Amino acid sequence: LLGGRTCAPLWVDCAHGIGAPQLAKLGSRLAEKLPLRIANAPGDGKLNLGCGAEHCQKAREPPAGYRASLPGVGLAASLDGDADRIVFHYYSGDGAEWRLLDGDKIAALLASFVHEQLSAVAGALPSVSPITFACVQTAYANGNAGALARELGVPLVLAKTGVKHLHHMALAYDISVYFEANGHGTLLFSDRAT
């Protein structure tokens, strides 16, 4: 959302799975500011076949139905069939190259955004102790994502592989972000941060 204007539609690949009906409901509420264009809905094909977050992340190719020539579409997202993973992707301005924002890149972007927002309000509430913030990764994460977090001064915490380990470590902070490369992840806010 840029200056209150409506964004170009977000093309969302639902991998022929459970995310499509829920996104349709959400899309009706967001239509004025962020229109959703749902693709690969249930009944359109076999679950996760040639589409979905895992397909994009492992095959390093766009999902079925997504191409540079789609009119009015900018960014795209791909869920997996059970809607617990997400990756984003897009074509370069000239449409020649497809680019993937996997979980490591999503974590780096979220860490950068949250850091910027926390820096902007630093000192606004002098009587309140500072909000703690960390980016939690595994040893298998892209090193550049961790380097960006460190460069920003965001604490980088390493956890064992697996979402349950990442989540457990993330709960120790007021705000935390974690993502695995495959798109499992989230941004957490404690009650205190909220």
Side-chain angles (χ1 to χ4, degrees):
L1 304 174
L2 303 172
R5 296 184 315 236
T6 300
C7 294
L10 176 66
W11 189 92
V12 185
D13 159 27
C14 293
H16 311 297
I18 193 69
Q22 298 307 315
L23 274 176
K25 292 176 191 174
L26 180 63
S28 67
R29 294 172 56 199
L30 294 176
E32 287 186 35
K33 296 292 182 184
L34 179 61
L36 301 179
R37 190 175 297 174
I38 296 172
N40 300 325
D44 292 345
K46 291 180 96 175
L47 188 66
N48 295 320
L49 184 61
C51 56
E54 184 173 355
H55 167 79
C56 294
Q57 196 262 330
K58 287 188 177 175
R60 297 290 190 206
E61 64 182 29
Y66 185 66
R67 55 191 184 283
S69 61
L70 286 173
V73 171
L75 288 176
S78 287
L79 304 173
D80 63 336
D82 62 356
D84 72 341
R85 286 184 249 173
I86 189 167
V87 296
F88 294 90
H89 44 92
Y90 63 98
Y91 279 94
S92 59
D94 62 4
E97 184 182 357
W98 177 77
R99 296 180 181 155
L100 174 67
L101 300 174
D102 65 7
D104 291 330
K105 290 178 183 169
I106 294 168
L109 288 170
L110 285 172
S112 176
F113 176 77
V114 170
H115 174 74
E116 183 179 299
Q117 299 307 305
L118 289 174
S119 296
V121 298
L125 302 170
S127 63
V128 177
S129 60
I131 298 290
T132 59
F133 174 50
C135 183
V136 184
Q137 294 184 326
T138 71
Y140 296 105
N142 180 321
N144 288 329
L148 175 64
R150 282 190 205 93
E151 183 180 311
L152 292 171
V154 175
L156 183 66
V157 180
L158 290 179
K160 293 179 185 177
T161 301
V163 174
K164 68 180 181 182
H165 299 295
L166 289 159
H167 191 80
H168 178 74
M169 299 280 286
L171 290 173
Y173 299 88
D174 293 316
I175 302 174
S176 55
V177 61
Y178 68 84
F179 269 88
E180 293 181 309
N182 66 14
H184 278 131
T186 195
L187 177 63
L188 293 175
F189 294 87
S190 69
D191 289 341
R192 179 175 179 272
T194 301

